[in-house]
Amino acid sequence: MFNLDQSASHQSWWQNAVGYQIYPKSFFDSDNDGIGDIQGIINKIPYIKSLGVNFVWLSPFFASPNVDNGYDVSDYKQIDPQYGKLTDVFSMISKFHDNDIKVVFDLVINHTSDQHHWFEEAKQSRDNPYHDFYIWQKPVNGKVPNNWQSLFGGPAWEYNPETDEYYYHLFAKQQPDLNWENPKVHQAVSDIIDWWAAHGVDGFRLDAISHLKKLQNFENVDAPDKAMNNVPGIDTFLSELSDDFKRDHLMTVGEAGGVPIARAKQWVDSQQGYFNMIFQFDHVSFWEKFTVGKVDVAQLRAALTRWQNGLADNGWNALFLENHDLPRAVSYFGNDTNYREKSSQALGMMYLLMKGTPFVYQGQELGMTNVSFKDIDQFRDLDSKHFYQEKLAAGWPVKKIMTSLRAKSRDNARTPMQWSGDQHAGFSATQPWIEVNPNYREINVAAQQANPAATLNFYRQLIHLRLTEPILLNGRYQLVDTHDHQLYVYTRETPTGGYLVVTNLSDQPATFTVPNHLKLTKLVLSNYPNQALNTTIKLAPWAADLYRYERTNS
Ligand code: GLC
């Protein structure tokens, strides 16, 4: 029998938690060189604390040539000097801990930088002890070994003259993939995990982890994923790797696109699972990347409900709408012109009160929007630049390419955090590494701190509710299917009552009739004022209401 108190006593810290993702390069620049840094994060701990979150996930700041903004690591135990020193990182960890905020790092172990000493050795000769740390194939007829493609465009193979072989890179050619078939790779990574655990890290987000295994026959594939995503046999690697995290009592969340729900249980099973949670992308990948279009609410409902139901009794969901690779939610799902504030709030309520651990990406709590760069020179992301060149060569008009980039470029999420209406959005005293979104004068922390109706305060209330109401932690998710393209309605329930979440994710007004068996007892939170308790709820565009209800016998 479902019992809230009983299940709460078996909870791990990361289940009763809300995380905040920090992209260090764009968070806060303490030394005014135009680049965010570790000391900048430390300076902003009071702000992070004020959000009510209880852990942070930091995108990488390790030694790196920064071809892919730190997702190309050249030394896992050193810090990129542009972010500070190792001692700054240690002090950041302890200051977060002093504030009861746990610290999750980003572990990039599908690949390294080509400047990691492992690769510098590996490429020298076939009998170098590190050669087998990477994936090599001989040329076929003087060309690439097969048709495998890089996710950043072009072939996934790069020629290495020293050994007359090609090495495999799923991402940029400066990011060679590690060869997980070699047990020494796992040993080397275990050592890194133990080292950071010993320095106080509470968990890891595991970058690109569904790609660890590659198809071992190295033959042509008819679909790119077959060569490198969830390839049969990956389970052995993941299960061995999971022992490291369990040994060190670390929380784990794997970036694992394309794992079907039927298999996901195995990944996040509460006893045997490889990880505590995974990020799945079903609700954010309705289109190929760089396509333009709006989200269909019915599809969104179906995708999220599949995961809520799929992991209802075993496993745990990681809830998110944004990260450093995705467009801003208010621009992608919402309406960032006419209903910017209301739509950012409705989207926040829609996902943050589901069952699972919510993640908020820096600036999302302000309703920060996509940026309208006009020229390719304003972009910094290598994937966006590749895309531009590739489409230009394919004859696309520049206007069409720019429209795609404005919709989906990863740089949309990477413009500096908007702290105030001061120059450079209060992020830095100097020109930042990437331009600030010009709407910072309107959308910024300082302005929203002064306005209780702003999105920032709405997020604070949502986070507080999520962390203090046991039903929002453990209550069962139940979709109330409205069979339309506007509303997302669900309950978080116990046998006697619970919470009803009613959101209108559209630009048009909508009406929702409360089912007979639910008796509304209280309006707990709404982004529109003065709502009465009616059985027919009239919802303005992008309205979001949270009610308490009791279950009746009718
Ligand atoms: C992940 C990261 C992304 C990075 C890629 C390669 O998808 O989130 O930013 O480019 O892995 O490391």
Side-chain angles (χ1 to χ4, degrees):
M1 174 70 178
F2 180 87
N3 181 325
L4 270 184
D5 293 335
Q6 211 175 38
S7 42
S9 65
H10 290 103
Q11 226 84 52
S12 304
W13 72 261
W14 47 267
Q15 290 178 299
N16 196 18
V18 177
Y20 187 69
Q21 186 193 347
I22 296 174
Y23 196 68
K25 198 165 187 176
S26 297
F27 193 57
F28 185 64
D29 175 15
S30 74
D31 59 358
N32 293 317
D33 61 356
I35 296 168
D37 43 53
I38 300 295
Q39 187 55 49
I41 297 171
I42 295 175
N43 292 356
K44 293 295 183 185
I45 290 179
Y47 172 75
I48 297 165
K49 177 88 184 156
S50 81
L51 298 174
V53 299
N54 48 8
F55 74 96
V56 285
W57 151 31
L58 297 112
S59 280
F61 42 75
F62 310 102
S64 168
N66 284 301
V67 168
D68 188 16
N69 279 358
Y71 283 91
D72 46 328
V73 179
S74 55
D75 190 337
Y76 292 91
K77 297 182 189 172
Q78 288 296 331
I79 302 312
D80 182 339
Q82 70 180 349
Y83 295 125
K85 300 195 191 68
L86 200 51
T87 48
D88 297 327
V89 172
F90 296 153
S91 120
M92 173 184 74
I93 296 172
S94 68
K95 290 193 169 136
F96 271 121
H97 286 168
D98 291 346
N99 283 277
D100 295 322
I101 295 173
K102 298 211 189 287
V103 181
V104 172
F105 281 3
D106 209 318
L107 194 62
V108 188
I109 51 175
N110 173 69
H111 47 270
T112 67
S113 160
D114 62 347
Q115 292 182 33
H116 195 291
H117 85 91
W118 299 340
F119 189 73
E120 285 180 338
E121 297 257 356
K123 69 181 185 189
Q124 285 171 17
S125 73
R126 291 190 197 180
D127 47 22
N128 186 287
Y130 286 98
H131 191 66
D132 209 20
F133 264 49
Y134 295 87
I135 299 167
W136 303 94
Q137 286 289 296
K138 295 198 184 77
V140 173
N141 302 325
K143 298 210 178 75
V144 289
N146 58 32
N147 69 351
W148 297 7
Q149 294 289 301
S150 157
L151 285 181
F152 289 160
W157 297 101
E158 185 70 15
Y159 185 64
N160 180 47
E162 285 95 328
T163 59
D164 185 30
E165 288 170 310
Y166 283 87
Y167 67 86
Y168 176 81
H169 59 93
L170 176 57
F171 297 94
K173 65 171 189 256
Q174 298 89 343
Q175 294 168 294
D177 283 49
L178 285 164
N179 174 22
W180 279 82
E181 307 292 332
N182 176 359
K184 288 193 180 136
V185 167
H186 180 205
Q187 282 162 23
V189 168
S190 288
D191 168 61
I192 294 163
I193 294 168
D194 289 344
W195 194 82
W196 279 113
H199 285 97
V201 169
D202 302 290
F204 287 106
R205 176 259 189 187
L206 299 155
D207 185 71
I209 205 72
S210 57
H211 300 298
L212 241 46
K213 176 94 182 173
K214 276 73 179 182
L215 195 63
Q216 288 302 298
N217 65 13
F218 293 96
E219 285 174 4
N220 286 345
V221 286
D222 52 15
D225 266 22
K226 287 190 184 161
M228 52 63 182
N229 201 17
N230 301 309
V231 171
I234 190 173
D235 299 80
T236 312
F237 296 161
L238 297 179
S239 146
E240 286 169 8
L241 184 61
S242 77
D243 291 341
D244 299 335
F245 302 115
K246 288 174 184 161
R247 177 181 65 240
D248 292 331
H249 306 290
L250 295 164
M251 173 272 224
T252 46
V253 50
E255 187 199 23
V259 175
I261 185 70
R263 293 259 297 113
K265 292 178 194 172
Q266 200 170 334
W267 284 60
V268 295
D269 176 274
S270 54
Q271 300 302 320
Q272 305 296 325
Y274 315 135
F275 307 119
N276 297 135
M277 297 175 269
I278 55 172
F279 289 123
Q280 58 82 20
F281 295 89
D282 289 1
H283 62 299
V284 288
S285 307
F286 298 135
W287 300 281
E288 300 276 299
K289 68 179 182 178
F290 295 119
T291 51
V292 181
K294 278 284 164 200
V295 175
D296 171 37
V297 178
Q299 247 181 314
L300 178 69
R301 235 171 16 218
L304 288 172
T305 300
R306 198 163 58 243
W307 282 85
Q308 286 288 308
N309 292 344
L311 299 184
D313 298 313
N314 188 8
W316 194 255
N317 274 290
L319 311 169
F320 72 100
L321 294 182
E322 291 189 16
N323 66 30
H324 62 290
D325 294 328
L326 294 170
R328 289 292 186 172
V330 66
S331 304
Y332 178 54
F333 296 101
N335 180 333
D336 64 7
T337 47
N338 299 342
Y339 296 104
R340 181 171 51 75
E341 295 226 23
K342 297 294 182 203
S343 67
S344 61
Q345 295 162 5
L347 289 164
M349 184 185 285
M350 180 274 291
Y351 92 102
L352 227 144
L353 301 183
M354 287 183 186
K355 189 169 182 185
T357 297
F359 288 74
V360 178
Y361 178 69
Q362 66 180 47
Q364 182 186 337
E365 75 279 19
L366 307 175
M368 274 179 65
T369 70
N370 280 358
V371 65
S372 285
F373 287 154
K374 303 271 176 305
D375 193 289
I376 187 62
D377 291 339
Q378 292 171 287
F379 288 87
R380 297 286 174 269
D381 169 34
L382 86 164
D383 191 25
S384 304
K385 286 172 183 286
H386 277 159
F387 175 80
Y388 181 88
Q389 294 304 339
E390 195 179 283
K391 295 302 171 199
L392 206 59
W396 281 32
V398 169
K399 211 171 147 203
K400 184 174 169 196
I401 308 177
M402 293 306 290
T403 304
S404 293
L405 286 178
R406 277 197 291 271
K408 289 284 180 67
S409 166
R410 306 196 298 179
D411 281 338
N412 283 308
R414 299 178 180 185
T415 60
M417 177 73 179
Q418 293 166 203
W419 293 105
S420 72
D422 297 343
Q423 205 189 13
H424 310 308
F427 163 75
S428 172
T430 191
Q431 182 66 41
W433 68 278
I434 185 170
E435 283 174 42
V436 168
N437 191 321
N439 65 19
Y440 73 89
R441 288 181 196 84
E442 221 186 314
I443 307 172
N444 62 65
V445 172
Q448 296 200 14
Q449 301 265 36
N451 173 12
T455 299
L456 174 59
N457 192 39
F458 198 76
Y459 261 82
R460 282 181 173 142
Q461 293 177 77
L462 289 170
I463 293 166
H464 178 76
L465 281 164
R466 170 59 186 75
L467 293 180
T468 52
E469 284 297 308
I471 297 175
L472 293 174
L473 169 64
N474 283 311
R476 188 166 273 276
Y477 166 97
Q478 180 69 51
L479 178 73
V480 180
D481 202 343
T482 45
H483 304 285
D484 64 352
H485 298 270
Q486 288 186 281
L487 295 176
Y488 199 141
V489 183
Y490 62 91
T491 51
R492 295 296 309 283
E493 52 186 54
T494 74
T496 51
Y499 283 92
L500 173 72
V501 177
V502 186
T503 57
N504 176 7
L505 305 184
S506 81
D507 291 351
Q508 283 76 43
T511 303
F512 173 69
T513 306
V514 180
N516 284 338
H517 64 282
L518 308 183
K519 179 171 173 286
L520 302 188
T521 54
K522 190 181 170 193
L523 176 66
V524 180
L525 182 65
S526 174
N527 63 348
Y528 280 90
N530 302 325
Q531 303 269 314
L533 293 181
N534 292 322
T535 49
T536 300
I537 303 177
K538 297 224 177 296
L539 295 135
W542 297 99
D545 294 346
L546 174 68
Y547 297 92
R548 275 305 303 257
Y549 73 86
E550 281 166 13
R551 189 169 270 273
T552 66
N553 291 327
S554 53

